[in-house]
Amino acid sequence: MTDSLTILSETRVFGGWLKQVRHQSAAVDCAMTFAIFLPPQVEAGASVPVLYWLSGLTCTDENFTQKAGAFRVTAELGLAIVAPDTSPRGDGVPGDPDGAWDFGQGAGFYVDATEEPWARNYRMHDYVTRELPALIEANFPVTGNRSIAGHSMGGHGALVCALKHPGFYKAVSAFSPIVNPTAVPWGEKAFERYLGLDRDRWLEWDACALIAEAAERLPILIDQGDRDGFLETQLKPQALVAAAEAAGHPLTLRMQPGYDHSYFFISTFIEDHLRHHAAALLA
């Protein structure tokens, strides 16, 4: 491990280790924190594949690690999990001028901002798809087999990462993703500030637009609760279903009756997603 990584904590869990790590990021020009779970197979000398998890608005790495209940199955399967923060943070990083929770720090939307004052720090797509995997693969006992998943804003991020980088990931899935950010209030607010007023440029970060010309038909698994308070206004999964059908892209949308947007929902179905990823990563 390089001296540039600082271990903030180490916790034993299901025979493996959960580590919280801080490093200075060149991509987003600030200190970043991520969590990594290394399964027990690592102690026996194995290198393991990695599932990257992208969290949603207001979250950090700790939401997934403390609430998803993923580590028992991950330890059994022999997968590492990496959970980065959702945005750049710190005194020098601009946030929402009105202190809103759905923009700025905690709401990076996994895009590479082009507009000031956001362009210097808000390059989360570059961080997640380039800098972080290189860092993980250089410093931990992992293979080059990667997959990606996420929740809400992070579900949007996972879909976009997979669609924009054919061959880089072996599998993709999402819980309650923002599938069509160019057409919902959360996405419109973020994209106008991060990317400018040209809505055509926004389509580069919209899964519904990207799926039409995707160079790889990686099967997509989505779980969505039908009592999610954001379902009709912000998420609209049927838009992605329609785009996938038009493009001939394999997609499974599972509407889960009675479930909401919370980690109670995620923890209920996380095992299905972990096994979906393991089937591709360990093939």
mmCIF file of all heavy atoms in Angstrom, residues 29 38 49 79 81 120 131 162 179 196 202 206 224 240 253-254 267:
data_model
loop_
_atom_site.group_PDB
_atom_site.id
_atom_site.type_symbol
_atom_site.label_atom_id
_atom_site.label_comp_id
_atom_site.label_asym_id
_atom_site.label_seq_id
_atom_site.Cartn_x
_atom_site.Cartn_y
_atom_site.Cartn_z
ATOM 1 N N ASP A 29 -9.596 16.942 -6.828
ATOM 2 C CA ASP A 29 -8.776 17.979 -6.197
ATOM 3 C C ASP A 29 -9.137 18.221 -4.733
ATOM 4 O O ASP A 29 -9.286 19.363 -4.292
ATOM 5 C CB ASP A 29 -8.871 19.284 -6.991
ATOM 6 C CG ASP A 29 -7.753 20.264 -6.627
ATOM 7 O OD1 ASP A 29 -6.710 19.819 -6.126
ATOM 8 O OD2 ASP A 29 -7.947 21.480 -6.831
ATOM 9 N N LEU A 38 -12.646 -6.437 2.235
ATOM 10 C CA LEU A 38 -11.831 -7.521 1.685
ATOM 11 C C LEU A 38 -12.284 -8.824 2.330
ATOM 12 O O LEU A 38 -12.228 -8.963 3.552
ATOM 13 C CB LEU A 38 -10.353 -7.272 1.969
ATOM 14 C CG LEU A 38 -9.770 -6.032 1.291
ATOM 15 C CD1 LEU A 38 -8.368 -5.746 1.812
ATOM 16 C CD2 LEU A 38 -9.754 -6.193 -0.226
ATOM 17 N N PRO A 49 -12.258 -10.310 -7.240
ATOM 18 C CA PRO A 49 -12.882 -9.260 -8.056
ATOM 19 C C PRO A 49 -13.559 -8.216 -7.176
ATOM 20 O O PRO A 49 -13.788 -8.438 -5.977
ATOM 21 C CB PRO A 49 -13.891 -10.025 -8.911
ATOM 22 C CG PRO A 49 -14.215 -11.239 -8.112
ATOM 23 C CD PRO A 49 -12.976 -11.596 -7.356
ATOM 24 N N LEU A 79 -15.963 -11.720 -2.850
ATOM 25 C CA LEU A 79 -15.920 -10.457 -3.581
ATOM 26 C C LEU A 79 -15.430 -9.346 -2.662
ATOM 27 O O LEU A 79 -15.785 -9.301 -1.479
ATOM 28 C CB LEU A 79 -17.315 -10.059 -4.088
ATOM 29 C CG LEU A 79 -18.091 -11.032 -4.962
ATOM 30 C CD1 LEU A 79 -19.420 -10.399 -5.358
ATOM 31 C CD2 LEU A 79 -17.290 -11.419 -6.192
ATOM 32 N N ILE A 81 -15.779 -5.271 -1.987
ATOM 33 C CA ILE A 81 -16.703 -4.177 -2.274
ATOM 34 C C ILE A 81 -15.996 -2.867 -1.981
ATOM 35 O O ILE A 81 -15.382 -2.710 -0.922
ATOM 36 C CB ILE A 81 -17.989 -4.250 -1.445
ATOM 37 C CG1 ILE A 81 -18.748 -5.545 -1.714
ATOM 38 C CG2 ILE A 81 -18.880 -3.051 -1.745
ATOM 39 C CD1 ILE A 81 -20.057 -5.640 -0.948
ATOM 40 N N ARG A 120 -13.667 22.355 -11.164
ATOM 41 C CA ARG A 120 -12.391 21.956 -10.543
ATOM 42 C C ARG A 120 -12.554 20.717 -9.666
ATOM 43 O O ARG A 120 -11.665 19.852 -9.629
ATOM 44 C CB ARG A 120 -11.831 23.104 -9.705
ATOM 45 C CG ARG A 120 -10.493 22.770 -9.032
ATOM 46 C CD ARG A 120 -9.883 24.003 -8.382
ATOM 47 N NE ARG A 120 -10.668 24.456 -7.243
ATOM 48 C CZ ARG A 120 -10.501 24.021 -5.995
ATOM 49 N NH1 ARG A 120 -9.587 23.096 -5.722
ATOM 50 N NH2 ARG A 120 -11.247 24.483 -5.013
ATOM 51 N N GLU A 131 -9.604 7.013 -11.650
ATOM 52 C CA GLU A 131 -8.657 7.141 -10.543
ATOM 53 C C GLU A 131 -8.859 6.089 -9.460
ATOM 54 O O GLU A 131 -7.903 5.444 -9.019
ATOM 55 C CB GLU A 131 -8.755 8.545 -9.925
ATOM 56 C CG GLU A 131 -7.714 8.766 -8.830
ATOM 57 C CD GLU A 131 -7.765 10.167 -8.245
ATOM 58 O OE1 GLU A 131 -8.852 10.794 -8.253
ATOM 59 O OE2 GLU A 131 -6.718 10.638 -7.773
ATOM 60 N N ALA A 162 -21.448 2.115 -16.571
ATOM 61 C CA ALA A 162 -21.431 0.882 -17.351
ATOM 62 C C ALA A 162 -21.698 1.152 -18.829
ATOM 63 O O ALA A 162 -21.044 0.566 -19.706
ATOM 64 C CB ALA A 162 -22.456 -0.099 -16.792
ATOM 65 N N VAL A 179 -33.183 7.204 -13.636
ATOM 66 C CA VAL A 179 -32.826 6.657 -14.953
ATOM 67 C C VAL A 179 -32.826 7.701 -16.057
ATOM 68 O O VAL A 179 -32.203 7.515 -17.098
ATOM 69 C CB VAL A 179 -33.763 5.492 -15.350
ATOM 70 C CG1 VAL A 179 -33.731 4.387 -14.315
ATOM 71 C CG2 VAL A 179 -35.188 5.986 -15.578
ATOM 72 N N GLY A 196 -24.077 23.205 -17.598
ATOM 73 C CA GLY A 196 -24.473 24.346 -18.411
ATOM 74 C C GLY A 196 -25.872 24.209 -18.984
ATOM 75 O O GLY A 196 -26.600 23.251 -18.709
ATOM 76 N N TRP A 202 -26.374 17.327 -21.805
ATOM 77 C CA TRP A 202 -26.833 16.538 -20.673
ATOM 78 C C TRP A 202 -27.049 15.072 -21.058
ATOM 79 O O TRP A 202 -26.929 14.174 -20.207
ATOM 80 C CB TRP A 202 -28.153 17.089 -20.133
ATOM 81 C CG TRP A 202 -28.130 18.488 -19.623
ATOM 82 C CD1 TRP A 202 -27.090 19.382 -19.654
ATOM 83 C CD2 TRP A 202 -29.224 19.179 -19.006
ATOM 84 N NE1 TRP A 202 -27.479 20.577 -19.094
ATOM 85 C CE2 TRP A 202 -28.785 20.479 -18.686
ATOM 86 C CE3 TRP A 202 -30.537 18.823 -18.702
ATOM 87 C CZ2 TRP A 202 -29.601 21.422 -18.073
ATOM 88 C CZ3 TRP A 202 -31.362 19.743 -18.091
ATOM 89 C CH2 TRP A 202 -30.892 21.026 -17.771
ATOM 90 N N ASP A 206 -27.212 10.571 -19.304
ATOM 91 C CA ASP A 206 -28.579 10.088 -19.107
ATOM 92 C C ASP A 206 -28.670 8.656 -19.627
ATOM 93 O O ASP A 206 -28.464 8.398 -20.816
ATOM 94 C CB ASP A 206 -29.554 10.999 -19.866
ATOM 95 C CG ASP A 206 -31.004 10.670 -19.585
ATOM 96 O OD1 ASP A 206 -31.399 9.501 -19.767
ATOM 97 O OD2 ASP A 206 -31.751 11.589 -19.197
ATOM 98 N N GLN A 224 -37.015 -1.852 -7.688
ATOM 99 C CA GLN A 224 -37.692 -0.589 -7.395
ATOM 100 C C GLN A 224 -38.899 -0.854 -6.502
ATOM 101 O O GLN A 224 -39.736 -1.704 -6.820
ATOM 102 C CB GLN A 224 -38.144 0.084 -8.692
ATOM 103 C CG GLN A 224 -39.036 1.292 -8.504
ATOM 104 C CD GLN A 224 -38.311 2.443 -7.848
ATOM 105 O OE1 GLN A 224 -37.321 2.951 -8.379
ATOM 106 N NE2 GLN A 224 -38.787 2.865 -6.685
ATOM 107 N N LEU A 240 -36.701 3.926 -18.699
ATOM 108 C CA LEU A 240 -35.543 3.112 -19.087
ATOM 109 C C LEU A 240 -35.990 1.786 -19.683
ATOM 110 O O LEU A 240 -35.360 1.274 -20.621
ATOM 111 C CB LEU A 240 -34.621 2.879 -17.892
ATOM 112 C CG LEU A 240 -33.300 2.188 -18.227
ATOM 113 C CD1 LEU A 240 -32.464 3.043 -19.180
ATOM 114 C CD2 LEU A 240 -32.500 1.884 -16.961
ATOM 115 N N LEU A 253 -36.528 -5.272 -14.691
ATOM 116 C CA LEU A 253 -37.049 -4.369 -13.668
ATOM 117 C C LEU A 253 -37.977 -5.160 -12.762
ATOM 118 O O LEU A 253 -38.977 -5.720 -13.229
ATOM 119 C CB LEU A 253 -37.802 -3.201 -14.298
ATOM 120 C CG LEU A 253 -38.582 -2.314 -13.317
ATOM 121 C CD1 LEU A 253 -37.645 -1.595 -12.346
ATOM 122 C CD2 LEU A 253 -39.460 -1.322 -14.069
ATOM 123 N N ARG A 254 -37.660 -5.203 -11.477
ATOM 124 C CA ARG A 254 -38.486 -5.905 -10.505
ATOM 125 C C ARG A 254 -39.156 -4.852 -9.606
ATOM 126 O O ARG A 254 -38.490 -4.210 -8.800
ATOM 127 C CB ARG A 254 -37.644 -6.872 -9.666
ATOM 128 C CG ARG A 254 -36.809 -7.828 -10.506
ATOM 129 C CD ARG A 254 -36.248 -8.984 -9.714
ATOM 130 N NE ARG A 254 -35.525 -8.582 -8.521
ATOM 131 C CZ ARG A 254 -34.890 -9.429 -7.706
ATOM 132 N NH1 ARG A 254 -34.884 -10.728 -7.984
ATOM 133 N NH2 ARG A 254 -34.254 -8.988 -6.640
ATOM 134 N N SER A 267 -31.441 -3.673 1.859
ATOM 135 C CA SER A 267 -30.952 -4.838 2.611
ATOM 136 C C SER A 267 -31.798 -6.077 2.349
ATOM 137 O O SER A 267 -31.308 -7.203 2.467
ATOM 138 C CB SER A 267 -30.920 -4.522 4.111
ATOM 139 O OG SER A 267 -32.220 -4.309 4.623
#
